[in-house]
Amino acid sequence: MEYLPLLIQLISGALGGNVAGSLLKNLSLGTLGNSIAGIVGGGIGGQILEQVFHTAVAGGALDPVSIITQIIGGGAGGGILMAIIGAIRGAVAK
């Protein structure tokens, strides 16, 4: 049960990375690259958002607000990190 929030964040991050990659074709890292960047970004983004809103402490891992916060934080973190890595990769390639 204690790893459920992290698992939600990682899965959401992978999805967020791939959605961002499909929307931002020029920054895409490919499916595997988007997923890896998304997983890392999802874990980081989800943890940051969880600390800001204190959802894990206040409501527990299965509280609906906590789950929504983890999904949003993971997805956004995954998409943002994928875009950052894609931009850096594009700048280095020039």
Side-chain angles (χ1 to χ4, degrees), residues 10-63:
L10 297 178
I11 292 170
S12 298
L15 292 172
N18 281 296
V19 167
S22 67
L23 294 175
L24 306 168
K25 300 261 189 233
N26 60 329
L27 300 178
S28 180
L29 305 170
T31 304
L32 182 61
N34 292 343
S35 296
I36 293 171
I39 288 169
V40 173
I44 294 169
Q47 291 297 313
I48 290 171
L49 201 58
E50 189 175 289
Q51 294 303 315
V52 169
F53 290 109
H54 304 289
T55 54
V57 176
L62 296 178
D63 177 29

Side-chain angles (χ1 to χ4, degrees), residues 49-94:
L49 201 58
E50 189 175 289
Q51 294 303 315
V52 169
F53 290 109
H54 304 289
T55 54
V57 176
L62 296 178
D63 177 29
V65 173
S66 179
I67 292 173
I68 291 169
T69 302
Q70 293 158 8
I71 291 171
I72 292 171
I80 291 168
L81 185 63
M82 189 287 308
I84 291 170
I85 293 172
I88 291 170
R89 189 187 82 173
V92 169
K94 289 182 182 181

